[in-house]
Amino acid sequence: MDRRNMFPAPRHILLAAVAGVIAGAVAVYVTTTLRGNNDTELTAGTAATVAADASSQDKVCAAKADAAKKIGAAATGQVAAMMPADPPQSLKGLAFNGPDGKPMTIGDQKGRVLLVNLWATWCAPCRAEMPALDALEREMGGENFEVVAINVDTGDDTKPKKFLQEIGIASLGYYRDNTLTVFNDLKTRGLALGLPVTLLIDGEGCLLANMNGPAEWASPDAKKLIEAALAL
């Protein structure tokens, strides 16, 4: 079977993303905070410090426009919908729970290129691309790179864990945000229309590229894209 037919052509991805919104991806909204979904209420002084730090991080990332363009040029074929960040921005504060169930942020993965993917069990395109993401992590994951697949199902862990077990996912870590805060943070930034959402982030927590909709992540095109990010 031609695996290319399992995923929509790039021109159909926007429609798939919008369909994800209609299906309920943004059914839950939360109050925006300065640091992410795992933080407690900030004092005025602490909030000012955090805001200044975030501004400084964004300046560092904005200087990586050329790197983002190189990633955009490397996004071809099966991953052609991956668009260069314009401008690159810091996602170090993006917060969720790690495989151990404890709160963490993108900044905790400093030094590693990350392919961050938001998915849910009710999202058909998400379910379809999960084996490919697992294969990419199995082949390329390591000290310098990781696929961070964040499940955003509401409720407890029963349904997503059962799904992953049923389809034999063995290489991906179990990252989780059952509040949809991480999705709504990305939506506020204009990075998320529906599910799945995928972000390519460098070792300093800077967004280099993003896409809405599925892709064939086990393809040579995807591997070339990751190699380009690792070479920066």
mmCIF file of all heavy atoms in Angstrom, residues 206-224:
data_model
loop_
_atom_site.group_PDB
_atom_site.id
_atom_site.type_symbol
_atom_site.label_atom_id
_atom_site.label_comp_id
_atom_site.label_asym_id
_atom_site.label_seq_id
_atom_site.Cartn_x
_atom_site.Cartn_y
_atom_site.Cartn_z
ATOM 1 N N CYS A 206 13.424 27.840 21.226
ATOM 2 C CA CYS A 206 12.904 28.748 20.200
ATOM 3 C C CYS A 206 12.130 27.990 19.134
ATOM 4 O O CYS A 206 12.625 26.998 18.581
ATOM 5 C CB CYS A 206 14.046 29.511 19.529
ATOM 6 S SG CYS A 206 14.973 30.586 20.645
ATOM 7 N N LEU A 207 10.929 28.457 18.838
ATOM 8 C CA LEU A 207 10.142 27.872 17.768
ATOM 9 C C LEU A 207 10.758 28.210 16.421
ATOM 10 O O LEU A 207 10.949 29.385 16.092
ATOM 11 C CB LEU A 207 8.710 28.412 17.822
ATOM 12 C CG LEU A 207 7.794 27.961 16.679
ATOM 13 C CD1 LEU A 207 7.466 26.480 16.809
ATOM 14 C CD2 LEU A 207 6.513 28.798 16.656
ATOM 15 N N LEU A 208 11.056 27.182 15.632
ATOM 16 C CA LEU A 208 11.622 27.389 14.303
ATOM 17 C C LEU A 208 10.591 27.159 13.196
ATOM 18 O O LEU A 208 10.682 27.765 12.128
ATOM 19 C CB LEU A 208 12.818 26.470 14.082
ATOM 20 C CG LEU A 208 14.036 26.702 14.996
ATOM 21 C CD1 LEU A 208 15.139 25.720 14.646
ATOM 22 C CD2 LEU A 208 14.526 28.136 14.889
ATOM 23 N N ALA A 209 9.621 26.273 13.448
ATOM 24 C CA ALA A 209 8.608 25.973 12.433
ATOM 25 C C ALA A 209 7.406 25.325 13.103
ATOM 26 O O ALA A 209 7.520 24.763 14.193
ATOM 27 C CB ALA A 209 9.175 25.056 11.354
ATOM 28 N N ASN A 210 6.258 25.414 12.431
ATOM 29 C CA ASN A 210 5.049 24.811 12.985
ATOM 30 C C ASN A 210 4.080 24.445 11.875
ATOM 31 O O ASN A 210 4.170 24.961 10.750
ATOM 32 C CB ASN A 210 4.368 25.764 13.966
ATOM 33 C CG ASN A 210 3.878 27.036 13.306
ATOM 34 O OD1 ASN A 210 4.662 27.934 13.020
ATOM 35 N ND2 ASN A 210 2.580 27.123 13.043
ATOM 36 N N MET A 211 3.160 23.559 12.172
ATOM 37 C CA MET A 211 2.139 23.178 11.207
ATOM 38 C C MET A 211 0.888 22.715 11.932
ATOM 39 O O MET A 211 0.940 22.254 13.068
ATOM 40 C CB MET A 211 2.634 22.075 10.269
ATOM 41 C CG MET A 211 2.880 20.727 10.930
ATOM 42 S SD MET A 211 3.440 19.459 9.761
ATOM 43 C CE MET A 211 1.919 19.150 8.853
ATOM 44 N N ASN A 212 -0.246 22.855 11.260
ATOM 45 C CA ASN A 212 -1.509 22.298 11.709
ATOM 46 C C ASN A 212 -1.888 21.183 10.747
ATOM 47 O O ASN A 212 -1.782 21.349 9.529
ATOM 48 C CB ASN A 212 -2.602 23.368 11.728
ATOM 49 C CG ASN A 212 -2.485 24.305 12.912
ATOM 50 O OD1 ASN A 212 -3.131 24.109 13.937
ATOM 51 N ND2 ASN A 212 -1.657 25.329 12.784
ATOM 52 N N GLY A 213 -2.327 20.056 11.285
ATOM 53 C CA GLY A 213 -2.672 18.920 10.450
ATOM 54 C C GLY A 213 -1.621 17.837 10.518
ATOM 55 O O GLY A 213 -0.527 18.041 11.058
ATOM 56 N N PRO A 214 -1.920 16.661 9.972
ATOM 57 C CA PRO A 214 -1.015 15.508 10.066
ATOM 58 C C PRO A 214 0.054 15.496 8.984
ATOM 59 O O PRO A 214 -0.021 16.225 7.997
ATOM 60 C CB PRO A 214 -1.971 14.326 9.890
ATOM 61 C CG PRO A 214 -3.003 14.865 8.932
ATOM 62 C CD PRO A 214 -3.200 16.317 9.328
ATOM 63 N N ALA A 215 1.045 14.650 9.204
ATOM 64 C CA ALA A 215 2.099 14.438 8.207
ATOM 65 C C ALA A 215 2.640 13.026 8.374
ATOM 66 O O ALA A 215 2.357 12.355 9.376
ATOM 67 C CB ALA A 215 3.222 15.463 8.372
ATOM 68 N N GLU A 216 3.402 12.570 7.404
ATOM 69 C CA GLU A 216 4.025 11.254 7.485
ATOM 70 C C GLU A 216 5.395 11.417 8.144
ATOM 71 O O GLU A 216 6.405 11.675 7.478
ATOM 72 C CB GLU A 216 4.148 10.633 6.086
ATOM 73 C CG GLU A 216 4.863 9.293 6.054
ATOM 74 C CD GLU A 216 4.390 8.334 7.120
ATOM 75 O OE1 GLU A 216 3.416 7.617 6.877
ATOM 76 O OE2 GLU A 216 5.014 8.322 8.205
ATOM 77 N N TRP A 217 5.427 11.292 9.464
ATOM 78 C CA TRP A 217 6.634 11.598 10.228
ATOM 79 C C TRP A 217 7.706 10.522 10.164
ATOM 80 O O TRP A 217 8.829 10.750 10.612
ATOM 81 C CB TRP A 217 6.252 11.899 11.670
ATOM 82 C CG TRP A 217 5.465 13.157 11.788
ATOM 83 C CD1 TRP A 217 4.147 13.289 12.095
ATOM 84 C CD2 TRP A 217 5.942 14.486 11.527
ATOM 85 N NE1 TRP A 217 3.765 14.605 12.051
ATOM 86 C CE2 TRP A 217 4.848 15.366 11.703
ATOM 87 C CE3 TRP A 217 7.184 15.018 11.155
ATOM 88 C CZ2 TRP A 217 4.965 16.747 11.536
ATOM 89 C CZ3 TRP A 217 7.291 16.393 10.990
ATOM 90 C CH2 TRP A 217 6.198 17.237 11.178
ATOM 91 N N ALA A 218 7.402 9.381 9.587
ATOM 92 C CA ALA A 218 8.434 8.348 9.426
ATOM 93 C C ALA A 218 9.051 8.387 8.031
ATOM 94 O O ALA A 218 9.874 7.539 7.696
ATOM 95 C CB ALA A 218 7.828 6.969 9.697
ATOM 96 N N SER A 219 8.684 9.365 7.229
ATOM 97 C CA SER A 219 9.156 9.456 5.851
ATOM 98 C C SER A 219 10.572 10.035 5.769
ATOM 99 O O SER A 219 11.042 10.706 6.692
ATOM 100 C CB SER A 219 8.218 10.352 5.043
ATOM 101 O OG SER A 219 8.300 11.697 5.509
ATOM 102 N N PRO A 220 11.262 9.790 4.651
ATOM 103 C CA PRO A 220 12.571 10.414 4.438
ATOM 104 C C PRO A 220 12.501 11.937 4.490
ATOM 105 O O PRO A 220 13.446 12.586 4.952
ATOM 106 C CB PRO A 220 12.963 9.921 3.039
ATOM 107 C CG PRO A 220 12.257 8.605 2.895
ATOM 108 C CD PRO A 220 10.940 8.809 3.596
ATOM 109 N N ASP A 221 11.394 12.513 4.052
ATOM 110 C CA ASP A 221 11.237 13.972 4.100
ATOM 111 C C ASP A 221 11.268 14.477 5.542
ATOM 112 O O ASP A 221 11.894 15.510 5.841
ATOM 113 C CB ASP A 221 9.911 14.385 3.458
ATOM 114 C CG ASP A 221 9.859 14.087 1.969
ATOM 115 O OD1 ASP A 221 10.903 14.221 1.311
ATOM 116 O OD2 ASP A 221 8.776 13.731 1.483
ATOM 117 N N ALA A 222 10.606 13.764 6.438
ATOM 118 C CA ALA A 222 10.590 14.163 7.847
ATOM 119 C C ALA A 222 11.977 14.024 8.470
ATOM 120 O O ALA A 222 12.415 14.895 9.232
ATOM 121 C CB ALA A 222 9.571 13.322 8.615
ATOM 122 N N LYS A 223 12.654 12.964 8.143
ATOM 123 C CA LYS A 223 13.997 12.743 8.694
ATOM 124 C C LYS A 223 14.965 13.814 8.193
ATOM 125 O O LYS A 223 15.821 14.292 8.950
ATOM 126 C CB LYS A 223 14.487 11.347 8.321
ATOM 127 C CG LYS A 223 13.657 10.241 8.969
ATOM 128 C CD LYS A 223 13.995 8.878 8.398
ATOM 129 C CE LYS A 223 13.005 7.831 8.895
ATOM 130 N NZ LYS A 223 13.244 6.506 8.252
ATOM 131 N N LYS A 224 14.812 14.216 6.939
ATOM 132 C CA LYS A 224 15.651 15.282 6.395
ATOM 133 C C LYS A 224 15.404 16.590 7.136
ATOM 134 O O LYS A 224 16.337 17.356 7.410
ATOM 135 C CB LYS A 224 15.364 15.459 4.901
ATOM 136 C CG LYS A 224 16.240 16.504 4.219
ATOM 137 C CD LYS A 224 15.879 16.690 2.756
ATOM 138 C CE LYS A 224 14.574 17.460 2.621
ATOM 139 N NZ LYS A 224 14.285 17.846 1.208
#
